[in-house]
Amino acid sequence: MRTNTYLFIICLLLPICQSCIKELHDLPPRPEITVKLNGVVRDSIIIAPGEEVNIEVECNAQKGILQEVTIKDKVSTNLPGFPLTQDSSQLQNKSSYSYRFKANDYMADGGQAYQTYNFQVICQDNNTPKQLRSKTISILVAEELKSYTVTLGAQDNKEYGGFLNITTGKSYTLKEVRQMNMDELLEISLCYFWGEEGVVPTYEQNQRFIPLVGSNYYTTSWYSYLSQAEYAEIFKPYSIPLIEQIPVGENSKMSIQFPYLLKAISRSPFEDYNLTTDLLKYAQTSSTTSEAPVVYGIYIFIECRYTNWPEDQSTQQKRPHVIRINSLVPGPQGSITLDIKASTDFNY
C-alpha cells in the first residue's frame, strides 16, 4: 500500500519537474567575460611590488545585447564611469564591450605594498529573463622568498662568521665586521651568540640570535653586551669600535636606527612558505624575545624599522623571513646551520 502511495506522488510531481527542466533549457545563454592580465587570459596573477598590471576586460552577450556592465574595486566601489547602461553610447545596441585599465591606479601605494587586491566585473544582457555573469579578478602583490642554507659560527668559532645579512645570505666574521662602514653595518640582520652560564643572565644562555644594535642602548644586542658595564670586560675581545661610538639620544634611544627583530615560533611547516605574504600573518603576533631556538625548530623573524626615527615611532616597515634550525654544535666555539627563506625588501 505504501509503495503505491509513493508511486502516485511521483506521478504527480513528474510533470512539474519536466516543466522546470524545460524552462531551464529554454533560458538564453549567459553573457561571457574574458579577462587578460598583462596580455594573458587568466583571472589571477602574482606580481612583485611595483610591477604594473594591465587589465583588459571583454564582455559579450551570447544572445541579445548588453544592458549593463559594472567594474568594481576592492571595496565594491564602481570604477570611474561605471556602471554603463544600455542608454550609454558605449553599450547602445551593442552585444560586446571591451575596457582596459591599469590596476596599480586603484591599489594601495600603486602596488608597492604586499597585498591582495580584487576587482569584480559584472555584465547583464537584455534577454527575457535577463542573464547575468560575474567574474572576480585577483591580484597578489608578493615576493618569492629567497631560499638558502648557511652556517653561522658562535663568537669564538674560527671557521664560520657569526654576522648575517639575511637578504643576501652572506655571513661575516668579526674581523670583517670591524672593517665595515656604518652603511654596511646597517645591513647586518642578526648575530649568532652563545651565552655561557656565569657570563650572561640565565634568560640569555644557550644559542641566541640578536641584532647588532637595538632601538635603545640597553636592548639585548651585540652593542649592549659591549657597552654595558656589567659585560664590558667579558666582551672586550668582541669589540666593534664603530657601533660603540654611536651616540645615544633622549630616552636612551640610539641616534642611528638599526632594524629590530620580532620573533615567533612557526605554526606551519617550512615547506609552506614560498611568498612573503605567507609570512605576514605573523607580523602582528610576534615578540622581541622568545625561548632559545632548538634543532628542527621553525621560526619567523621579522626585521622592523621606523620610517622616521626617532621622531616617529608609529610608522614601521617590515621584512619577514622564516628560519629552520638544521643542526647545532653547542658552545661559544660551536656553530649553527640554518635553512632560510628570506624576503629582500621592506615592503610591508
Side-chain angles (χ1 to χ4, degrees), residues 15-28 128-129 131:
I16 298 174
C17 294
Q18 289 175 329
S19 176
C20 292
I21 294 171
K22 183 178 185 301
E23 286 183 11
L24 288 173
H25 280 296
D26 290 343
L27 288 176
T128 304
Q131 297 297 296

Side-chain angles (χ1 to χ4, degrees), residues 62 96 141 199 266 275 314 328:
Q62 301 299 297
S96 65
V141 183
V199 177
S266 170
L275 300 170
S314 59
L328 169 69

Side-chain angles (χ1 to χ4, degrees), residues 37-332:
L37 302 178
N38 287 347
V40 179
V41 176
R42 49 188 163 177
D43 299 336
S44 62
I45 189 172
I46 299 174
I47 63 168
E51 183 181 344
E52 284 193 359
V53 183
N54 294 298
I55 299 179
E56 301 173 57
V57 176
E58 185 172 341
C59 300
N60 290 286
Q62 301 299 297
K63 185 178 179 182
I65 62 174
L66 292 172
Q67 185 180 50
E68 185 173 309
V69 174
T70 302
I71 303 179
K72 298 182 177 184
D73 68 8
K74 186 174 185 177
V75 292
S76 295
T77 301
N78 293 334
L79 266 58
F82 290 94
L84 298 175
T85 67
Q86 61 184 357
D87 296 327
S88 62
S89 58
Q90 294 97 321
L91 287 190
Q92 199 170 53
N93 298 319
K94 292 182 179 178
S95 60
S96 65
Y97 171 77
S98 60
Y99 183 73
R100 299 182 181 183
F101 65 100
K102 187 167 74 171
N104 306 67
D105 294 339
Y106 303 94
M107 299 166 67
D109 301 323
Q112 292 284 350
Y114 300 137
Q115 60 186 295
T116 300
Y117 205 99
N118 297 326
F119 293 91
Q120 186 180 26
V121 184
I122 306 169
C123 67
Q124 181 176 264
D125 62 28
N126 72 335
N127 289 293
T128 304
K130 295 179 177 65
Q131 297 297 296
L132 181 143
R133 175 81 70 175
S134 176
K135 185 177 288 265
T136 299
I137 306 166
S138 297
I139 300 170
L140 174 62
V141 183
E143 223 186 328
E144 186 174 350
L145 296 171
K146 178 178 180 178
S147 300
Y148 61 90
T149 298
V150 65
T151 298
L152 300 179
Q155 62 267 30
D156 292 332
N157 187 293
K158 304 301 181 184
E159 183 178 1
Y160 300 105
F163 301 83
L164 177 65
N165 180 326
I166 291 185
T167 58
T168 64
K170 184 169 176 55
S171 63
Y172 301 90
T173 64
L174 179 60
K175 180 180 179 180
E176 291 172 320
V177 169
R178 283 173 170 165
Q179 296 171 350
M180 290 181 175
N181 59 40
M182 189 60 72
D183 288 339
E184 292 170 323
L185 290 174
L186 285 166
E187 296 301 317
I188 299 297
S189 307
L190 57 85
C191 317
Y192 177 56
F193 172 81
W194 183 277
E196 291 282 78
E197 183 178 357
V199 177
V200 297
T202 302
Y203 58 82
E204 292 296 342
Q205 291 174 21
N206 297 323
Q207 71 273 23
R208 290 286 173 179
F209 299 109
I210 57 176
L212 189 63
V213 179
S215 301
N216 299 284
Y217 90 93
Y218 53 79
T219 306
T220 299
S221 64
W222 202 268
Y223 169 94
S224 68
Y225 287 141
L226 294 171
S227 60
Q228 294 185 55
E230 58 186 307
Y231 302 128
E233 192 61 34
I234 298 171
F235 284 85
K236 192 173 182 179
Y238 314 117
S239 172
I240 304 175
L242 194 57
I243 67 169
E244 295 173 81
Q245 297 164 14
I246 298 174
V248 178
E250 295 182 5
N251 300 320
S252 301
K253 293 181 176 64
M254 305 302 295
S255 60
I256 297 175
Q257 182 193 184
F258 282 71
Y260 69 91
L261 290 177
L262 293 177
K263 310 165 192 175
I265 297 174
S266 170
R267 295 185 293 272
S268 300
F270 188 74
E271 291 73 19
D272 284 0
Y273 299 103
N274 298 295
L275 300 170
T276 45
T277 44
D278 297 333
L279 293 167
L280 294 182
K281 56 189 172 184
Y282 292 94
Q284 306 303 325
T285 59
S286 304
S287 63
T288 54
T289 59
S290 63
E291 297 298 320
V294 296
V295 177
Y296 305 127
I298 302 170
Y299 304 90
I300 308 298
F301 278 63
I302 301 173
E303 294 182 89
C304 305
R305 68 183 183 188
Y306 296 100
T307 54
N308 187 25
W309 174 266
E311 291 79 10
D312 180 3
Q313 295 181 54
S314 59
T315 307
Q316 298 184 52
Q317 294 174 307
K318 299 175 183 178
R319 180 166 59 183
H321 319 284
V322 60
I323 295 174
R324 178 172 60 191
I325 312 298
N326 189 306
S327 62
L328 169 69
V329 179

